Structure formats: structure tokens, C-alpha cells
Amino acid sequence: QVQLVESGGGLVQPGGSLRLSCVASGFVFSRYGMKWYRQAPGKERELVALIFARGGLTHYGDSMKGRFTISRDNDKNTVYLQMNSLTVEDTAVYYCNVIVQTVHYWGQGTQVTVSS
């Protein structure tokens, strides 16, 4: 079955960086686009970034452009999210997502807290 396991979250000071990882299994990873979402307390889940299966084309949410970078390693079935210049507004649970045969799959999430 499809499984997504995120890691790499934690507590970081404003201006700091974190790199999140999502290890995927249960499907042919290289054939699917992958996404990162986040959800802050009291807010709706929002798209952070996506990376297409082929060519490595990427797309970012407006507030993430220039600060976040999504990448993938198809040999390791892993998608990454490099986050730089973090602000308190980036505090949220970050989720990995894939759509396989019209079904959305989510990881358990990893907490990112930006605080001084």
C-alpha cells in the first residue's frame, strides 16, 4: 500500500533553515508528481510546493517563492523540501502528498515551529 513518511521537522529560530524529507513506498515513485502541504493551527491546509514526475518542473505557493526548494531523488524514493529564511508564519505541520489513481495519500506530518 502507499505510504509516505515525513521527517526533518523541529524548532528553529526566525531566519533559520530546515530540510524536510518524505520517503515514499507502495507505488512507482518516479512516475508521480509529489507535493508538500502545510497546515497551521486554525487555518486551512495550503499547498507549499510541488514537483512533477518528469523533468523536475516545480511550482511554489506565493509566500514560499525564493525561500523554499522542492527536489526529489528517484533512486531513494524521496522528496525533499529545503526551507530557508524561515519566519514565525511558517510554523505549521508539513505533509507530503501524492495522488495515485485519483486517491490522495498523506503522510503523518512533521511539525515545524519557528520561534525565538
Side-chain angles (χ1 to χ4, degrees):
Q1 70 277 24
V2 174
Q3 286 192 321
L4 302 171
V5 180
E6 302 99 333
S7 62
L11 174 64
V12 63
Q13 292 186 342
S17 298
L18 281 175
R19 188 175 85 152
L20 307 183
S21 300
C22 171
V23 179
S25 61
F27 63 102
V28 183
F29 179 78
S30 62
R31 295 181 183 176
Y32 291 86
M34 299 295 297
K35 299 176 183 176
W36 285 97
Y37 284 81
R38 71 184 184 185
Q39 189 165 20
K43 295 187 177 181
E44 293 186 355
R45 193 168 294 191
E46 65 173 334
L47 177 67
V48 174
L50 68 89
I51 185 165
F52 289 86
R54 301 183 183 275
L57 293 176
T58 59
H59 172 78
Y60 298 91
D62 287 342
S63 63
M64 299 81 175
K65 291 178 182 177
R67 300 190 300 124
F68 291 8
T69 302
I70 188 172
S71 62
R72 64 191 297 158
D73 185 336
N74 289 339
D75 291 333
K76 296 182 178 179
N77 284 6
T78 301
V79 60
Y80 302 98
L81 184 67
Q82 177 67 43
M83 305 186 294
N84 299 327
S85 302
L86 286 163
T87 73
V88 295
E89 286 74 30
D90 295 316
T91 295
V93 179
Y94 285 71
Y95 298 92
C96 186
N97 168 268
V98 67
I99 303 173
V100 178
Q101 296 182 346
T102 74
V103 177
H104 281 261
Y105 293 91
W106 300 90
Q108 81 287 353
T110 185
Q111 175 71 48
V112 172
T113 303
V114 185
S115 175
S116 55

